[in-house]
Amino acid sequence: MTLDQARSVPSRRALLKGGLLGAAAAAVGASSARAASGESVITEVQDWNRYPGDGVDARPYGKPSQFEADVVRRNVPWLTSDPISSVNFTPLHELDGIITPSGLCFERHHAGIAEIEPGSHRLMINGLVDQPLVFTMADLKRFPRENRVYFLECAANSGMEWRGAQLNGCQFTHGMVHCVMYTGVRLKHLLDEAGVKSSAKWLLAEGADASAMTRSIPLEKALDDCMVAFGMNGEALRPEQGYPLRLVVPGWEGNMWVKWLRRLEIGDQPWEQREETSKYTDLLANGKARRFTWVMDVKSVITNPSPQAPITHGKGPLVLTGLAWSGNGTISRVDVSIDGGRNWKTARIDGPSLPLALHRFYYEFDWDGSELFLQSRAVDEKGFVQPTKDQLRSARGPNSIYHNNGIQTWYVGTNGVIENVEIS
Amino acid sequence: MSRFRKWGLAGSAFVAIASFAIASPNQPAKTEPTERGKPRVGRVATPDEVRAWDIDVRPDGLGLPAGRGTVSAGQAIYDAQCASCHGDFGEAIGRWPVLAGGQGTLEADRPEKTIGSYWPYLSTVYDYVRRAMPFGNARSLSDDDVYALTAYLLYLNDIVDDENFELSKETFTSVKLPNEPNFIDDDRVREPYYADKSPPCMNDCKPGKAAIKMHAAVLDVTPEAGDKGETPKSGIE
C-alpha cells in the first residue's frame, strides 16, 4: 500500500493502524445490531470510503477504471488469415458523445504496427514539383497548425452484411469508424514549399510500414482539405494510428488516410495501386466494377440498445442513442423508427454538429415491453438520405463489399435481448 | 473525373510528355537546375534518396526499372517464396489471398477476384510484389526477380502459355489484363435513392407489420458467447 511507503509520515501511519482496528470493531458492532433496511452500498461504510487510494505517482499515464476492462477493441479472428494483416473494431456500444478515445479507435493494418522513432522519420515530396523536399518531424511543426474533428470510416465497414445479417453487435457491423480531433498541417502548405508544377493532377501517398501502403488522391482534394497529422485528441498519434505521421483525407474512405506517412509524390495520372484496383473497387451485379469511390456516404446506426447492449431495465423510460455521419458534410437530421420503418420520429442531435465528423443522436421513449424493430435513418446537408440495404442490393448486387451504408435493423425481444435481423 | 480516364491514343502522347517531365526529379541535379532557392523549411532531397523510395510503377510503364525475367525463372522463385501462402497454382492456402483463376466469375454468386479475372493493370502486380511481398520480408526481391514473378503470375492466370515468355522493361506495357475495360467511374449519385432528394416518408411508409426475414448468421462474435455460429465464406478484403 502506498501509505506504507517510506514517504508516509509516522503520524499518518499510526493513524491508519488505528483506522484498521476501528474497522474491525465496527464490523463486530454492526453484526450484532439489527440489519439496516436498504442497500448495503449505502448502509455500510465501503472500503473506498474509509481507506485512501493510490497517490498521484501510481498512474503517471492514466488508464480507464479496472471496471471498464470489457470496453476494448475486438476482432473476428476468422475474417482474416493473420492478425498482422487484419482489423479490429471500435466498441461503439460502450461509447457516447462524438469523440472516440484514442486507444479504442479501430485498427486496420496490412503489415502490422510499424514502430518508428520520430527522429528517424522523414516525409519526402517528389515528382512534378520544382524541387523534391525532405522534412523531419521537427520541420513539419514549423508550418501553421490546425485542429479538426473528423470521422474516419473504412470503406469495408458493414461489408460483411451485404448478403444479409451476419454479425451480432454494432461493434462488428459498424465498428470500423472512429472520430478524433487531429492536429497537423494542411497539405497545401507543404506542397507550396515544394512548388507543384502546372501539369500536376494527382498525388500518391505512401506509408513507411512493411506494406508500404499507397493510394492515389486527386490533387484538387489534396489541396482542399487534406492534412498531415501528428496529433490526435491532443497528444501524439497512437502507433496503431500511424505514429508519428498520418494523412487525413476528410470524408473519404479510411484506406486513403495513409498511416506512417513517409512520401507524397505528385503526378499527372493515378498510379492504379493494388489498394485502388484489386481492393477498394466495388463490383456490381453486371460484372462491372466502380473505381475511385472515395466519398463515404451518409450513414447512421443505433449503438444503444444493440445486441451487445441489451435492455436490462424492463419497461418504462428508455434512452436510445446512436451515431450518424456523412462524407458530404454535416448531418442535418436523423429519424428513428421502432416499428421497422413504418413510422419515423426525428431524433435529437446533441453535441457539436461538425462537418465530416460523427454526430450523436438521442431518442427517448417509454418502452411498453413489446417487440421492437429499431432503425435509424440519417439525412445529410446535401439532402442525401441513407438508403435501405434492399435498395443498395437492388442497385449493386451482393458483391460490392465496400460502401454498405444501408439502414440497420435491431430486433428487440420482450425480454430485452437484441438481435441483428433483416425484415420485410 | 473523365479527364483522368483518357487511356487512348491522345493519352499516350500526353504520357510521353509526362514521362519526360516526371522522370526529371529522379536526377534533378543533373538535368534540371532548380529555379527555386533554398526551401524555408526542410531540405532538398538527393537523387539517391528519391530513387530509394520512389519505386511506384504506373500502367503506362513509368517507374519500371531496367531488368527482365522469364516464366520459368519466376516459377522457381514462386515455389520457394510464395507458394506456402498463395498455393502452388495461386489457388491460396486457407484464407491467404488467391492469385489465379476465377475468370468468368465476376457476375457469379461468389465471384473470385484475381489478377487474371479482376485486376485491370499488370503494372499493379509489379508494383505491389516489389513493395510488399513476400509477406514478412518486403523489399527483399531483386528487380529481375519481380519481372520473373510477374511473368509467372501471368502464366498461372493463363494470360501467357509459354514457359520461355520473358517480361522486361521494354516489353512490359504490351501485356494487357483482360478485365481492364470493366472498370467504370463512380456513379453512385445516379442511383435512384441518391438521385431522388425528396424528403423521406415519415408515416405509414410500409404496409403491414415488420416480420423477420433473416437472423444474424454468426452469433459467436463476442468471446463470451458460445460457438453457435457458422463461418461465412468470405472475409474482409
Side-chain angles (χ1 to χ4, degrees):
Chain A
M1 252 188 97
T2 346
L3 286 178
D4 282 331
Q5 288 164 356
R7 250 177 299 132
S8 335
V9 290
S11 61
R12 269 191 88 187
R13 199 181 282 163
L15 212 90
L16 177 74
K17 288 222 176 89
L20 282 167
L21 287 173
V28 173
S31 64
S32 59
R34 114 195 125 75
S37 76
E39 282 190 288
S40 61
V41 290
I42 297 174
T43 59
E44 288 169 20
V45 176
Q46 303 294 309
D47 283 356
W48 58 85
N49 186 215
R50 172 162 291 136
Y51 311 122
D54 283 351
V56 289
D57 288 338
R59 305 176 190 195
Y61 193 106
K63 294 206 176 70
S65 160
Q66 57 177 302
F67 306 109
E68 298 292 316
D70 281 345
V71 183
V72 289
R73 301 182 281 221
R74 295 182 195 280
N75 79 348
V76 180
W78 47 256
L79 275 181
T80 47
S81 40
D82 190 313
I84 291 171
S85 172
S86 192
V87 61
N88 62 19
F89 302 90
T90 309
L92 299 178
H93 61 294
E94 299 277 12
L95 304 178
D96 220 319
I98 67 163
I99 298 292
T100 315
S102 299
L104 294 176
C105 292
F106 80 94
E107 298 171 75
R108 175 44 170 141
H109 317 305
H110 291 259
I113 302 166
E115 297 279 0
I116 304 176
E117 192 264 305
S120 301
H121 191 72
R122 300 287 182 275
L123 178 66
M124 179 187 288
I125 301 181
N126 73 305
L128 293 179
V129 290
D130 293 338
Q131 50 187 1
L133 297 181
V134 171
F135 298 110
T136 62
M137 290 304 298
D139 291 336
L140 295 175
K141 292 177 181 175
R142 297 174 64 197
F143 286 93
R145 229 170 281 169
E146 291 179 25
N147 295 287
R148 292 285 183 280
V149 176
Y150 292 125
F151 79 80
L152 180 163
E153 184 185 17
C154 176
N157 199 20
S158 317
M160 288 300 296
E161 306 289 307
W162 271 106
R163 285 181 176 270
Q166 286 274 17
L167 303 172
N168 225 8
C170 72
Q171 177 166 18
F172 305 102
T173 56
H174 289 76
M176 282 198 267
V177 66
H178 59 64
C179 183
V180 305
M181 180 182 282
Y182 294 96
T183 303
V185 173
R186 287 265 180 152
L187 217 51
K188 187 181 181 313
H189 296 310
L190 306 179
L191 298 181
D192 281 351
E193 200 65 31
V196 172
K197 294 204 193 277
S198 57
S199 54
K201 290 193 173 62
W202 289 84
L203 174 142
L204 183 79
E206 181 179 76
D209 64 321
S211 78
M213 175 61 60
T214 38
R215 283 297 298 257
S216 305
I217 300 169
L219 196 59
E220 207 180 347
K221 174 72 175 176
L223 293 172
D224 177 25
D225 59 359
C226 290
M227 300 165 70
V228 298
F230 36 78
M232 67 190 283
N233 290 339
E235 60 180 356
L237 288 177
R238 291 292 168 88
E240 313 93 280
Q241 305 301 334
Y243 178 90
L245 193 69
R246 91 170 307 165
L247 190 63
V248 171
V249 190
W252 287 19
E253 55 190 25
N255 180 256
M256 306 177 84
W257 300 46
V258 173
K259 300 191 282 191
W260 310 289
L261 181 72
R262 76 164 185 196
R263 194 167 68 92
L264 301 167
E265 182 174 346
I266 309 298
D268 58 2
Q269 292 175 21
W271 283 262
E272 306 287 359
Q273 296 287 291
R274 184 241 189 181
E275 304 290 324
E276 54 209 17
T277 54
S278 167
K279 307 297 170 195
Y280 300 98
T281 47
D282 314 345
L283 182 60
L284 305 175
N286 62 5
K288 303 270 179 200
R290 289 192 180 121
R291 64 171 168 186
F292 299 148
T293 49
W294 299 306
V295 175
M296 298 310 298
D297 295 304
V298 60
K299 188 166 177 176
S300 69
V301 65
I302 293 167
T303 55
N304 301 83
S306 64
Q308 296 160 288
I311 304 173
T312 53
H313 56 55
K315 297 178 188 179
L318 178 102
V319 174
L320 179 155
T321 184
L323 293 165
W325 61 95
S326 168
N328 298 309
T330 55
I331 292 293
S332 53
R333 203 176 89 210
V334 181
D335 301 323
V336 167
S337 172
I338 63 172
D339 61 4
R342 273 66 190 162
N343 297 283
W344 298 86
K345 291 272 178 9
T346 298
R348 180 170 64 84
I349 292 179
D350 184 79
S353 169
L354 301 167
L356 310 173
L358 292 185
H359 289 58
R360 170 64 59 177
F361 66 87
Y362 296 96
Y363 176 67
E364 294 90 0
F365 67 103
D366 273 6
W367 183 39
D368 61 6
S370 64
E371 289 184 335
L372 305 175
F373 292 98
L374 304 178
Q375 296 185 335
S376 65
R377 176 182 71 190
V379 184
D380 71 22
E381 68 169 69
K382 297 275 164 59
F384 291 111
V385 181
Q386 183 179 2
T388 64
K389 291 183 185 176
D390 285 338
Q391 283 176 318
L392 286 169
R393 283 183 200 120
S394 68
R396 304 179 192 175
N399 289 315
S400 265
I401 299 174
Y402 306 105
H403 296 286
N404 182 353
N405 61 324
I407 290 172
Q408 174 66 44
T409 309
W410 303 131
Y411 166 72
V412 181
T414 52
N415 55 359
V417 168
I418 299 173
E419 217 187 304
N420 174 9
V421 296
E422 301 239 351
I423 55 169
S424 57
Chain B
M1 302 305 300
S2 58
R3 73 199 154 114
F4 300 135
R5 233 13 74 56
K6 295 200 177 89
W7 299 101
L9 272 179
S12 318
F14 181 57
V15 163
I17 297 162
S19 319
F20 172 75
I22 208 171
S24 56
N26 287 334
Q27 302 92 26
K30 281 175 236 158
T31 58
E32 189 184 41
T34 60
E35 314 96 62
R36 304 196 134 218
K38 220 169 131 344
R40 291 174 310 154
V41 180
R43 62 169 177 82
V44 175
T46 71
D48 281 345
E49 287 175 333
V50 173
R51 260 193 298 276
W53 277 4
D54 184 357
I55 59 162
D56 45 73
V57 179
R58 287 198 324 202
D60 61 0
L62 184 68
L64 278 172
R68 57 189 62 244
T70 60
V71 168
S72 48
Q75 175 167 14
I77 306 164
Y78 183 92
D79 288 349
Q81 299 201 49
C82 320
S84 58
C85 295
H86 294 294
D88 285 346
F89 307 100
E91 78 285 9
I93 311 286
R95 286 186 171 270
W96 302 107
V98 177
L99 300 184
Q103 279 90 340
T105 67
L106 295 184
E107 291 171 62
D109 187 43
R110 300 283 180 175
E112 193 156 66
K113 296 189 283 181
T114 71
I115 293 168
S117 70
Y118 191 67
W119 291 35
Y121 304 108
L122 188 63
S123 58
T124 313
V125 179
Y126 192 98
D127 177 289
Y128 181 73
V129 171
R130 183 158 67 149
R131 74 173 54 248
M133 289 294 134
F135 193 65
N137 193 18
R139 298 298 305 273
S140 60
L141 299 165
S142 73
D143 293 343
D144 283 348
D145 288 348
V146 182
Y147 277 111
L149 283 163
T150 308
Y152 187 58
L153 288 168
L154 286 173
Y155 182 81
L156 286 179
N157 277 287
D158 300 324
I159 294 166
V160 302
D161 52 13
D162 177 2
E163 286 181 24
N164 298 316
F165 174 82
E166 185 183 74
L167 207 55
S168 68
K169 179 178 168 145
E170 290 68 37
T171 60
F172 196 93
T173 54
S174 65
V175 184
K176 301 282 174 223
L177 295 186
N179 198 45
E180 179 180 342
N182 287 321
F183 283 82
I184 59 168
D185 286 342
D186 183 359
D187 57 355
R188 282 175 290 171
V189 292
R190 288 208 290 275
E191 291 173 337
Y193 37 87
Y194 288 140
D196 171 19
K197 292 205 184 157
S198 53
C201 171
M202 294 301 284
N203 292 302
D204 301 322
C205 304
K206 282 178 142 193
K209 286 183 71 176
I212 296 177
K213 284 193 300 189
M214 186 186 239
H215 292 264
V218 181
L219 297 172
D220 63 337
V221 287
T222 51
E224 303 85 63
D227 184 29
K228 301 169 243 157
E230 79 181 74
T231 300
K233 269 198 82 173
S234 64
I236 58 150
E237 296 244 322

